[in-house]
Amino acid sequence: MGNRAPLPLVVATFSLLLWSTAGLLGGRRIPTTLDGPFEPVTVPLDGRVARGNAVDLPDSDFRLQRKVTGLEPEQISVSLSATEDSVWISWVTGEFQIGKDIEPLDPTIVASFVRYGDSKKLLMYEATGYSLIYNQLYPFEDLQNYTSGIIHHVLLDDLRPGTKYYYQCGDPSIPAVSAVHFFRTMPASGPKRYPKRIAVIGDLGLTYNSTSTVNHMASNKPDLILLVGDVTYANLYLTNGTGSDCYSCSFSETPIHETFQPRWDYWGRYMEPVISEIPIMVVEGNHEIEQQAENKTFVSYSSRFAFPIKESESFSTFYYSFNAGGIHFIMLGAYISYNKSGEQYQWLERDLEMVDRTVTPWLIATWHPPWYSTYKAHYREAECMRVEMEELLYSYGVDIVFNGHVHAYERSNRVYNYSLDPCGPVYITVGDGGNREKMAVNHADDLGGCPDPLTTPDEYMGGFCAFNFTSGPAAGKFCWDRQPEYSAYRESSFGHGILEVKNETHALWTWHRNQDLYKSAGDEIYIVRQPDKCPTKPITFQNTSI
């Protein structure tokens, strides 16, 4: 257990009033974390939906085709800056090339220009940004190289919070400009202002399952999308466009792990109708590694998305932070050093020190591989990251953690260091976005399901930290012999989640299965903060940039 005060039997009258009001929705009572910890629940596997239609959309699908000409913008997206008064607009112009003889485009041939305003008929403001191209190169004769179209990123600032803006991007001097799109800025930071709905998805890919996830998600009309890693799964393909559900099974003899980079362009085209209007914030997953010549990695991920790096005083596209109303989000990198002596950890300490919980009461963290997953796939794979960072996150009172990586859904009880703790975060794994790899269906606590400890460390980061448990029901063992008490709910189905923060202490979390009706909920709970019972480290100095 942690060293905080235990959960009391009686809470303040005001909190009870909030609890009783929040727990009722449509005449039915929704449980809250104050009712927990809950007895573990495993929903039996439905064989009809476990696999779904995990087949990638073909290159010929009209939704993946280039629909613009010349240097007109495509793959348009919106992402947030660190605060509510600015956003990034990103897009691509020109065509990618793939083959042995490629000629990278010159980014200077087209401007990075956005016109915008709060009236569709009068786009009275202008902003310019920067552009780049990236290459995916392989030092092997038979592999095809790739060079991207011109990628543009433009920061719009001095925006009013909670306001709908219209915009048009491109280069009007050519002319080559987009249609008019719109976005809505986040509410101003404050304990009573929140986005209405935040969608959380992971391990999305570009399959027919993925399209179902995106359609269900869009029907819930989110104000913000969090994508917790593993975006396109371009690395399940050879450079000639041949794909597989299991790269290592089908292409074990390749001299380097290849990718088919056009899948990134297909994904950007498919997603444009959604993310050109709803801001999307992304953190890297293992499928974004994409090693190439000179041992370069994560080049596509770092090039295609805009990140509030400078605004959140980060050193890297792998980790950053931002505010959305009364929520402070921390996006962490599991595929870069997380050691206490490293830059990311030191940045995290500074970022946490600057969070004023009277302004942003909610503190939510996100990274790709989960610390608290009970599935056999990736079991305790990120244990070294947990050992380095968990105590720090706990000491600052992180409320919720979102992860992906494991292709299933799971929600924890409040937990710290594998023990039930009323002040620990709720960990939620949503790696069930729909990619073409297999759904995770086996648990580490199934009979014969416990993996060999030597097979569990992350292949990319290395290190071994997952030792046998030293206390509790699993003492002396590497796995539990039943669903662990920290696991509240788990289910192998594709879907997405919606977070609705209601006030300083109550947030409604709803997980939706793809196979259900659009408005149906598979798992639903109010996550309740208790700042009076779970004190956190005080702010040490005010951040003037966030």
Side-chain angles (χ1 to χ4, degrees):
M1 290 283 185
N3 55 6
R4 304 208 197 148
L7 180 66
L9 295 176
V10 180
V11 294
T13 302
F14 180 63
S15 296
L16 269 177
L17 178 61
L18 287 175
W19 170 82
S20 61
T21 302
L24 291 173
L25 186 67
R28 55 191 174 83
R29 187 182 180 281
I30 298 172
T32 83
T33 50
L34 297 182
D35 300 324
F38 300 94
E39 289 295 318
V41 171
T42 298
V43 175
L45 179 67
D46 185 342
R48 297 169 300 171
V49 299
R51 184 66 176 150
N53 197 3
V55 177
D56 271 342
L57 298 182
D59 301 2
S60 58
D61 190 292
F62 75 96
R63 293 167 290 186
L64 314 188
Q65 299 302 301
R66 189 170 188 260
K67 300 177 180 64
V68 300
T69 60
L71 293 173
E72 292 175 341
E74 64 161 350
Q75 304 178 51
I76 302 168
S77 66
V78 183
S79 56
L80 301 180
S81 183
T83 52
E84 70 278 354
D85 59 355
S86 53
V87 304
W88 287 94
I89 307 295
S90 302
W91 69 95
V92 176
T93 54
E95 297 191 57
F96 68 78
Q97 302 165 55
I98 187 166
K100 294 183 179 179
D101 299 312
I102 57 174
E103 186 68 32
L105 296 174
D106 178 2
T108 65
I109 65 174
V110 59
S112 305
F113 188 87
V114 176
R115 281 200 177 105
Y116 63 101
D118 56 11
S119 170
K120 187 175 183 179
K121 296 181 179 180
L122 183 61
L123 306 180
M124 59 187 300
Y125 305 110
E126 300 176 351
T128 58
Y130 68 95
S131 60
L132 70 152
I133 61 99
Y134 79 90
N135 302 314
Q136 187 78 16
L137 306 176
Y138 296 99
F140 301 99
E141 184 177 351
D142 295 332
L143 304 190
Q144 299 187 57
N145 294 321
Y146 170 94
T147 185
S148 71
I150 301 169
I151 301 169
H152 304 259
H153 300 301
V154 176
L155 180 67
L156 312 185
D157 53 16
D158 294 324
L159 304 175
R160 296 192 305 276
T163 302
K164 186 175 184 178
Y165 283 91
Y166 297 88
Y167 72 96
Q168 192 174 41
C169 59
D171 187 343
S173 69
I174 294 179
V177 295
S178 71
V180 176
H181 298 273
F182 67 87
F183 64 86
R184 185 175 293 277
T185 53
M186 293 294 104
S189 294
K192 299 186 183 302
R193 295 185 289 263
Y194 300 93
K196 290 182 179 179
R197 283 174 293 275
I198 300 168
V200 187
I201 53 176
D203 301 70
L204 189 59
L206 194 54
T207 69
Y208 292 96
N209 285 334
S210 310
T211 64
S212 177
T213 299
V214 172
N215 290 340
H216 277 74
M217 176 192 72
S219 75
N220 280 313
K221 302 186 184 308
D223 300 299
L224 172 64
I225 300 169
L226 300 182
L227 176 49
V228 296
D230 285 1
V231 181
T232 70
Y233 288 79
N235 72 337
L236 291 183
Y237 286 80
L238 300 179
T239 61
N240 65 12
T242 302
S244 172
D245 299 343
C246 174
Y247 186 98
S248 61
C249 306
S250 302
F251 312 127
S252 59
E253 301 301 318
T254 56
I256 192 173
H257 191 130
E258 302 175 31
T259 74
F260 187 62
Q261 287 294 299
R263 297 299 297 184
W264 279 94
D265 296 281
Y266 301 160
W267 189 90
R269 292 166 185 164
Y270 173 77
M271 292 295 292
E272 179 181 322
V274 177
I275 62 177
S276 61
E277 299 179 354
I278 305 171
I280 185 169
M281 304 302 284
V282 184
V283 71
E284 84 285 352
N286 57 300
H287 282 275
E288 280 73 71
I289 295 173
E290 298 186 329
Q291 183 182 4
Q292 58 169 300
E294 300 179 357
N295 206 31
K296 293 181 180 179
T297 53
F298 294 98
V299 176
S300 183
Y301 161 81
S302 296
S303 301
R304 290 180 178 270
F305 297 108
F307 306 93
I309 302 170
K310 182 178 179 180
E311 305 96 292
S312 62
E313 303 180 14
S314 169
F315 303 103
S316 169
T317 60
F318 289 63
Y319 54 91
Y320 59 93
S321 66
F322 64 96
N323 289 344
I327 310 168
H328 186 69
F329 285 97
I330 299 174
M331 316 290 273
L332 294 178
Y335 301 98
I336 191 172
S337 173
Y338 36 68
N339 295 334
K340 289 182 174 66
S341 59
E343 285 186 342
Q344 178 177 204
Y345 190 95
Q346 293 171 19
W347 168 85
L348 177 60
E349 278 190 304
R350 290 194 300 272
D351 191 84
L352 289 169
E353 288 171 352
M354 294 186 293
V355 177
D356 185 345
R357 302 298 281 270
T358 66
V359 178
T360 53
W362 287 86
L363 184 55
I364 297 176
T366 292
W367 59 88
H368 186 58
W371 295 347
Y372 289 99
S373 170
T374 61
Y375 284 84
K376 182 177 181 179
H378 307 301
Y379 180 69
R380 300 182 71 184
E381 183 178 284
E383 188 73 354
C384 287
M385 183 184 183
R386 186 193 70 80
V387 169
E388 293 289 328
M389 288 186 160
E390 185 178 25
E391 183 178 2
L392 179 63
L393 295 177
Y394 177 82
S395 69
Y396 279 94
V398 168
D399 299 298
I400 307 171
V401 172
F402 290 116
N403 305 117
H405 201 40
V406 176
H407 299 163
Y409 171 73
E410 186 164 16
R411 170 176 54 83
S412 79
N413 284 306
R414 290 193 177 276
V415 60
Y416 170 65
N417 195 25
Y418 289 106
S419 296
L420 297 176
D421 189 310
C423 296
V426 174
Y427 289 82
I428 299 174
T429 298
V430 285
D432 56 343
N435 69 83
R436 68 180 293 173
E437 290 184 322
K438 294 179 180 179
M439 172 68 71
V441 298
N442 298 316
H443 310 108
D445 51 273
D446 291 341
L447 183 63
C450 187
D452 180 345
L454 296 180
T455 66
T456 59
D458 179 77
E459 293 181 0
Y460 184 74
M461 294 301 295
F464 183 82
C465 303
F467 299 99
N468 287 353
F469 295 105
T470 57
S471 61
K477 302 175 183 177
F478 189 65
C479 303
W480 289 57
D481 58 7
R482 57 188 180 277
Q483 184 174 354
E485 61 187 9
Y486 57 79
S487 172
Y489 184 102
R490 62 188 184 186
E491 180 175 344
S492 297
S493 290
F494 294 110
H496 75 283
I498 295 288
L499 182 70
E500 302 173 68
V501 178
K502 304 296 186 179
N503 51 43
E504 300 97 313
T505 57
H506 285 67
L508 176 63
W509 167 254
T510 309
W511 173 67
H512 298 268
R513 303 183 190 92
N514 282 1
Q515 67 267 27
D516 290 344
L517 297 175
Y518 273 35
K519 299 302 180 182
S520 298
D523 180 37
E524 206 166 21
I525 190 169
Y526 274 98
I527 298 172
V528 182
R529 298 181 61 246
Q530 294 194 100
D532 54 330
K533 306 302 179 184
C534 300
T536 61
K537 287 187 177 181
I539 184 173
T540 56
F541 58 91
Q542 183 65 42
N543 182 5
T544 59
S545 64
I546 295 183

